[in-house]
Amino acid sequence: MNELIAKAETWLATVVVWIDVTLLSYQSLVQLGIILLLWGISWGIVRLVRFMFPVGLGRYEIYRRLQPQLSPLYDLLLWAVMIGLVKAVADQKEISTTAFNIAESLIWAWIVIRLATSLIDNREIARLVRAFAWGVAALNIVGWLTPLIEFLDQMTFSLGQGEVSALGILTGVLTLVFLVWLALISTNFLESWLGKVQGVNPSARVLLSKIARIVLIAAAFLFAVSSVGIDLTVFAVFGGAIGVGLGFGLQKVVSNFVSGVILLMDRSIKPGDVVEVSGTYGRINKLAGRYTSVISRDGREHLIPNEDMVTQTVVNWTFSHRMVRRHLQVGISYKSDVDLAMKLMVEAAEEVPRVLDDPAPRVQLRGFGDSSIDLELRMWIRDAKNGVSNVASDVNYLIWKKFNEHGVEFPYPQRDIHIVSDEKKAETLVAPSAEKS
């Protein structure tokens, strides 16, 4: 430990001497002042050009595509060119250009790194990669990278029966981040490719993509751990603890995950199906590892745990086929023409575009109620994902309209009231007394 502290002090002393000799000298300070002045000039020129020529090259389509990547680099490019010209003049005058060389190298490194990281969609990850890559490039430019690597390699820690260096840990973390990023890109590419394959159904597509993601991320973790120098057998000690944790704290999470795998394997539900579960009616948007996303007709997205999708009763309106039969109960008065009413109900169903012609709508007489003759209209639709209540509303409206046009009456509740007169009440009261006398 003392040896490590001594090496750290030596390295820090070297850095302090380099800053004092290289950067804080009179020539270097003058060069730093010129560099800052050139940055202000380049920044002002770029803003002035944008103000005077607001359209610029924007009329060209190829420039409009590259503008988001090139626009932040205009002042940096002009700055680097101006520093290069000043450095060329200083070389001819045989003046030291140490600060100019460092500044020019750092600017060009930033430009290259900025262009390379523009391919990353996630802005936060792009910024993180950009800062780390430029930091490594800056250390290499000033000559500090090799001493820092040697220092981190000598900084070791005991882990079990082996030792791990700080450089190994840093390398492992970077390797893990890169491999996980590569695994996510690979799984996204696999999902898009499976989406184009005609023979793969949505459930198998989701299952394959999730298995591939889990396998690739697990392989990335194991490879990163092995690159650090940690023996993988060390993780066997944590197996029992993980099992206890799963048994108590994570049993719901594991149950939902296993239920999700079961749903994907048995293909009882799949993205695009129209389902009804726990009072929620809607279309399945996606199957996640913990929940199933169901979007209802009013636009609300319900996240239902996968365990509920397995243990509770689920009405899948499109499980075997897309055809769904709807039942509409209609009552008519006893005075109405039953044949005419049944004919009008069929005509009303046929006028709605979403109702299928084959099988054709049919009407059945279900029974005789207290106040009405009970009829039932049965009709088929193929697009339950567009809703089943709205098509029933359209048919009911047409039935009401046709019944009114043809004189078919809707029944009202009827009750028969029998009024007993006072004379009958008196006779019933007197009769028992006369018998006694």
Side-chain angles (χ1 to χ4, degrees):
M1 187 67 180
N2 294 330
E3 182 180 357
L4 184 62
I5 295 175
K7 290 181 179 179
E9 293 176 351
T10 303
W11 184 73
L12 291 175
T14 304
V15 172
V16 172
V17 171
W18 182 88
I19 294 175
D20 184 46
V21 174
T22 305
L23 293 182
L24 298 182
S25 63
Y26 174 76
Q27 292 181 346
S28 297
L29 292 176
V30 172
Q31 293 177 26
L32 289 175
I34 296 174
I35 291 170
L36 293 177
L37 178 62
L38 294 177
W39 176 78
I41 294 174
S42 63
W43 185 87
I45 291 175
V46 171
R47 269 58 183 181
L48 180 62
V49 171
R50 288 177 178 174
F51 176 77
M52 296 180 62
F53 305 98
V55 178
L57 300 176
R59 54 181 174 272
Y60 299 104
E61 183 178 358
I62 186 172
Y63 175 78
R64 290 197 299 268
R65 293 181 180 179
L66 298 176
Q67 186 177 6
Q69 289 77 29
L70 297 179
S71 181
L73 303 178
Y74 290 152
D75 49 354
L76 293 177
L77 289 170
L78 183 58
W79 190 20
V81 171
M82 296 173 66
I83 291 176
L85 295 176
V86 174
K87 189 184 72 170
V89 174
D91 290 336
Q92 291 181 356
K93 301 294 184 180
E94 297 182 353
I95 300 175
S96 176
T97 58
T98 303
F100 288 147
N101 293 330
I102 295 175
E104 185 181 19
S105 300
L106 291 176
I107 295 173
W108 283 113
W110 178 257
I111 292 173
V112 174
I113 293 171
R114 181 65 182 263
L115 289 174
T117 54
S118 63
L119 301 175
I120 302 176
D121 296 332
N122 193 301
R123 182 176 298 180
E124 287 72 18
I125 295 178
R127 289 178 178 176
L128 181 62
V129 173
R130 194 178 301 153
F132 176 79
W134 188 81
V136 173
L139 291 174
N140 187 43
I141 290 171
V142 299
W144 294 354
L145 183 60
T146 302
L148 180 61
I149 291 176
E150 294 177 353
F151 173 73
L152 294 176
D153 191 28
Q154 294 173 358
M155 186 182 296
T156 58
F157 306 93
S158 298
L159 183 62
Q161 298 180 352
E163 292 184 351
V164 179
S165 64
L167 179 63
I169 295 176
L170 181 61
T171 304
V173 171
L174 296 177
T175 303
L176 178 62
V177 172
F178 174 75
L179 292 179
V180 169
W181 174 72
L182 187 62
L184 294 178
I185 291 180
S186 301
T187 52
N188 291 335
F189 174 78
L190 178 63
E191 289 180 1
S192 62
W193 178 76
L194 289 174
K196 300 177 182 178
V197 179
Q198 299 295 333
V200 181
N201 57 59
S203 297
R205 187 182 306 136
V206 175
L207 178 60
L208 291 175
S209 61
K210 289 187 179 298
I211 292 177
R213 179 169 299 182
I214 293 173
V215 171
L216 290 176
I217 292 178
F221 175 77
L222 295 177
F223 184 82
V225 170
S226 62
S227 66
V228 176
I230 301 176
D231 189 4
L232 296 179
T233 57
V234 176
F235 291 96
V237 180
F238 300 99
I242 294 176
V244 174
L246 293 177
F248 288 96
L250 301 177
Q251 57 180 349
K252 282 293 183 182
V253 176
V254 176
S255 176
N256 287 323
F257 178 77
V258 174
S259 299
V261 175
I262 293 174
L263 292 174
L264 293 172
M265 293 182 65
D266 63 11
R267 294 183 294 179
S268 56
I269 60 174
K270 55 186 178 295
D273 284 353
V274 179
V275 298
E276 184 177 356
V277 55
S278 301
T280 301
Y281 173 86
R283 175 181 56 85
I284 294 180
N285 183 33
K286 67 176 181 179
L287 298 175
R290 185 183 61 84
Y291 61 86
T292 299
S293 172
V294 179
I295 299 180
S296 60
R297 291 287 299 166
D298 54 5
R300 291 184 296 178
E301 188 169 4
H302 301 263
L303 305 181
I304 303 176
N306 290 330
E307 184 180 6
D308 294 344
M309 303 296 292
V310 174
T311 58
Q312 296 186 10
T313 301
V314 178
V315 179
N316 191 337
W317 293 77
T318 56
F319 177 62
S320 300
H321 51 76
R322 297 289 174 179
M323 296 175 57
V324 176
R325 188 170 72 173
R326 291 288 290 155
H327 301 257
L328 299 184
Q329 309 293 335
V330 178
I332 62 174
S333 172
Y334 278 95
K335 299 178 181 179
S336 301
D337 187 346
V338 177
D339 295 331
L340 177 61
M342 297 174 69
K343 178 183 177 182
L344 295 175
M345 291 173 64
V346 173
E347 291 179 356
E350 291 176 346
E351 292 181 8
V352 176
R354 291 180 55 192
V355 177
L356 299 178
D357 296 331
D358 186 18
R362 296 183 59 186
V363 178
Q364 290 187 351
L365 197 155
R366 301 294 296 174
F368 302 95
D370 296 335
S371 305
S372 65
I373 300 176
D374 299 329
L375 304 178
E376 181 182 77
L377 172 63
R378 297 180 179 183
M379 58 185 182
W380 291 85
I381 61 175
R382 195 185 301 273
D383 53 349
K385 62 180 181 181
N386 295 327
V388 294
S389 298
N390 48 9
V391 67
S393 174
D394 295 339
V395 175
N396 280 329
Y397 171 74
L398 291 177
I399 291 175
W400 173 83
K401 188 176 180 181
K402 289 180 177 295
F403 277 13
N404 288 333
E405 292 176 354
H406 293 81
V408 178
E409 295 182 2
F410 291 98
Y412 293 96
Q414 299 179 2
R415 293 291 183 271
D416 293 334
I417 301 176
H418 299 278
I419 300 176
V420 181
S421 62
D422 294 338
E423 294 180 358
K424 291 183 177 181
K425 286 184 179 180
E427 291 178 357
T428 56
L429 292 175
V430 173
S433 59
E435 293 179 357
K436 290 181 180 179
S437 60

